[in-house]
Amino acid sequence: MKVASIGLGLIGGSFALAIQEHFPDAAIWGIDQNQAHVEAALARKIIHHKGNINQLQNYDVVVLSIPVDAASELLPKILNQVQKNTLVMDMGSTKNDICTAVANHPKRNQFLALHPIAGTEFSGPKAAFPNLFTKAMMIVCEAEKTDENLKKKAYHILQEMQMQLHFMSPKEHDKHLAYVSHLSHVSSFMLGKTVLDLEKNEREIFNLAGSGFASTVRLAKSNPKTWTAIFKQNKTEVLTSLKEYQQHLKEFEKLLEANKFSELEQLLDSTSRIKEILAKK
Amino acid sequence: MKVASIGLGLIGGSFALAIQEHFPDAAIWGIDQNQAHVEAALARKIIHHKGNINQLQNYDVVVLSIPVDAASELLPKILNQVQKNTLVMDMGSTKNDICTAVANHPKRNQFLALHPIAGTEFSGPKAAFPNLFTKAMMIVCEAEKTDENLKKKAYHILQEMQMQLHFMSPKEHDKHLAYVSHLSHVSSFMLGKTVLDLEKNEREIFNLAGSGFASTVRLAKSNPKTWTAIFKQNKTEVLTSLKEYQQHLKEFEKLLEANKFSELEQLLDSTSRIKEILAKK
């Protein structure tokens, strides 16, 4: 199996490592705008060879793991080049824009839109590791638009990695992810910002931070470029979820300002189902 | 050493276990409004005997680890009862109200105001464990108001537990903790609320939640009663930090709405120092 991995960060790098682990005969060509990433990926044996973004004719599989705005732009150009038995998979965190970008492409049926629910707050090839996807959920969008044989090939790869496939439309995907992922990132980035602002005047504040603070701002370590692209592509849903979040914060604020402590306790208590839900994860 | 532990939850229970570990001769009497907690603490050998809140005359040390509103009310009554060599320590997450409550008490110098920067999102005696405080920071407020000999006794206990003492005024404490702890809890509770509200109509949403969501809403598992009391006692500082946080969320929202993506990326990037800060933790 000849594989081109476009984008050699946490996701692309980890996927390349996982392919090698489960398909020892696979040969992997790596492509990344950042040449330091290509060199690092070669050095870490994440890839076997350097690839070329303008020479994608002879691969069995092309995996695209780059910021979502760049992916929407690049995917049609990739499909233009590939031969008719090539499977092209995208790993981006938003799905509506990219599916729209190739909706009428003559080779639409060679493309499978994916989103692995897996990641860490770290980025770049040095953050890649082969088990990132093991037993993780893989969302598959518009599966009905992909050629049956190419889809079989894709599912075989994903099932070897023990991923759990979960099917939905791009719109559903983008709405749900706004709530359970994108909003958490907004919250974390802005919480970090709030405390950093105070810290300009109060040097010792971070000495006092416990594990709770670390947990809520962990996602603020995520890559700003990657996340700006996600917020851009999922603007409508992110704004909707953010407005709802702000309404709840305002509700909390009003109850506290008005000394309505029993209502405040009820409000906190109304989130207790989170315990059961997280316990299953 | 005869110790009365008032409040047998995560903090009080863990502190009792730590005392036993470092002072094998200590005998511990446990007191809690919740009789099931007293029984559970006896069964788990967190305490040796049941105590009585109206018989606090014969202890060397009284440790108070109950919700902060109840602590402010109870502490004067505790000081009224104790003999003159008894050390009374409070472990609450806010310090200004409790210090004010006993500012003019004739036995003020037998009290030491503490706050351990240690905890988990779990509560009750079943959540207690002996190493919760090992190497953790212990904030000491108004140390100058406590009798030298009783303070020596307290520091000896805390240093045996390898805690790092950190001194500040109650006002400083409450301001800083609003930012690095209380605000994180508001954020987490309301993020949980936002997603639970959506889930009423969209059942599968939690299947899609990854580790990032779990991390940002972890604190929503915290005890609503405990946290309502903290928000109540630290109302002014919590409201200030919450307003600043909401301003930053609004700034994010405006940039996204106006398609100002490079400014948005800069805003996210301005939080990158969080990486270094958390790396030291």
Side-chain angles (χ1 to χ4, degrees), chain A residues 166 175-176 180 184 199 202 204 206 209 213 215-216 235 243 245-246 253 257 259 273 281, chain B residues 166 175-176 180 184 199 202 204 206-207 209 213 215-216 235 243 245-246 253 257 259 273 281:
Chain A
H166 199 84
K175 176 176 180 177
H176 289 165
V180 296
S184 287
E199 194 234 7
E202 316 268 349
E204 72 177 340
F206 285 106
F213 177 73
S215 172
T216 46
K235 176 178 163 178
K243 282 178 207 291
Y245 178 50
Q246 289 179 97
E253 185 189 333
E257 263 176 348
N259 297 324
R273 276 200 54 239
K281 299 223 76 77
Chain B
H166 200 83
K175 177 176 179 177
H176 289 165
V180 296
S184 286
E199 195 235 6
E202 315 267 350
E204 72 177 340
F206 285 108
N207 290 332
F213 177 73
S215 172
T216 45
K235 177 178 163 177
K243 281 177 208 291
Y245 179 49
Q246 289 178 96
E253 184 189 334
E257 262 175 349
N259 297 324
R273 276 199 53 239
K281 299 225 73 78

Side-chain angles (χ1 to χ4, degrees), chain A residues 117 119 137 139 166-168 172-173 175-177 179-181 183-199 202-222 224-225 227-228 231-232 235 238-239 241-246 248-253 256-259 261-262 264-265 267-275 277-278 281, chain B residues 117 119 137 139 166-168 172-173 175-177 179-181 183-199 202-222 224-225 227-228 231-232 235 238-239 241-246 248-253 256-259 261-262 264-265 267-275 277-278 281:
Chain A
I117 305 298
M137 182 176 293
I139 302 178
H166 199 84
F167 299 85
M168 61 177 64
E172 273 179 291
H173 169 276
K175 176 176 180 177
H176 289 165
L177 268 291
Y179 283 85
V180 296
S181 167
L183 180 59
S184 287
H185 283 78
V186 180
S187 158
S188 238
F189 274 118
M190 292 306 99
L191 201 55
K193 176 82 179 157
T194 307
V195 179
L196 282 169
D197 272 12
L198 182 72
E199 194 234 7
E202 316 268 349
R203 310 253 2 135
E204 72 177 340
I205 190 161
F206 285 106
N207 290 331
L208 307 177
S211 59
F213 177 73
S215 172
T216 46
V217 301
R218 180 172 71 85
L219 298 178
K221 296 193 265 179
S222 304
K225 194 177 166 62
W227 280 93
T228 301
F231 297 139
K232 181 180 175 182
K235 176 178 163 178
V238 169
L239 284 174
S241 69
L242 178 55
K243 282 178 207 291
E244 286 175 21
Y245 178 50
Q246 289 179 97
H248 288 301
L249 291 172
K250 190 55 78 182
E251 184 188 357
F252 178 100
E253 185 189 333
L256 185 55
E257 263 176 348
N259 297 324
F261 301 116
S262 64
L264 190 68
E265 189 176 330
L267 176 63
L268 303 187
D269 205 43
S270 71
T271 68
S272 64
R273 276 200 54 239
I274 282 286
K275 286 188 204 183
I277 291 160
L278 293 181
K281 299 223 76 77
Chain B
I117 304 299
M137 183 176 293
I139 303 178
H166 200 83
F167 299 87
M168 61 177 66
E172 272 179 292
H173 169 276
K175 177 176 179 177
H176 289 165
L177 268 290
Y179 282 84
V180 296
S181 168
L183 181 59
S184 286
H185 283 78
V186 180
S187 157
S188 239
F189 274 117
M190 292 305 101
L191 201 56
K193 177 80 180 158
T194 307
V195 179
L196 282 168
D197 272 11
L198 182 72
E199 195 235 6
E202 315 267 350
R203 307 237 26 117
E204 72 177 340
I205 190 162
F206 285 108
N207 290 332
L208 307 177
S211 60
F213 177 73
S215 172
T216 45
V217 301
R218 180 172 71 84
L219 299 178
K221 296 193 267 180
S222 304
K225 196 177 164 63
W227 279 92
T228 301
F231 297 139
K232 181 181 175 182
K235 177 178 163 177
V238 169
L239 284 174
S241 70
L242 179 54
K243 281 177 208 291
E244 286 175 22
Y245 179 49
Q246 289 178 96
H248 287 303
L249 291 172
K250 190 55 79 184
E251 183 186 359
F252 178 100
E253 184 189 334
L256 185 55
E257 262 175 349
N259 297 324
F261 301 115
S262 63
L264 189 68
E265 189 176 330
L267 176 63
L268 304 187
D269 206 43
S270 71
T271 68
S272 64
R273 276 199 53 239
I274 282 286
K275 286 187 204 184
I277 291 160
L278 293 181
K281 299 225 73 78

Side-chain angles (χ1 to χ4, degrees), chain B residues 147-159:
Chain B
D147 172 82
E148 284 301 323
N149 285 326
L150 292 179
K151 210 153 54 181
K152 260 187 209 159
K153 189 195 285 186
Y155 295 171
H156 176 59
I157 294 170
L158 303 178
Q159 277 154 0

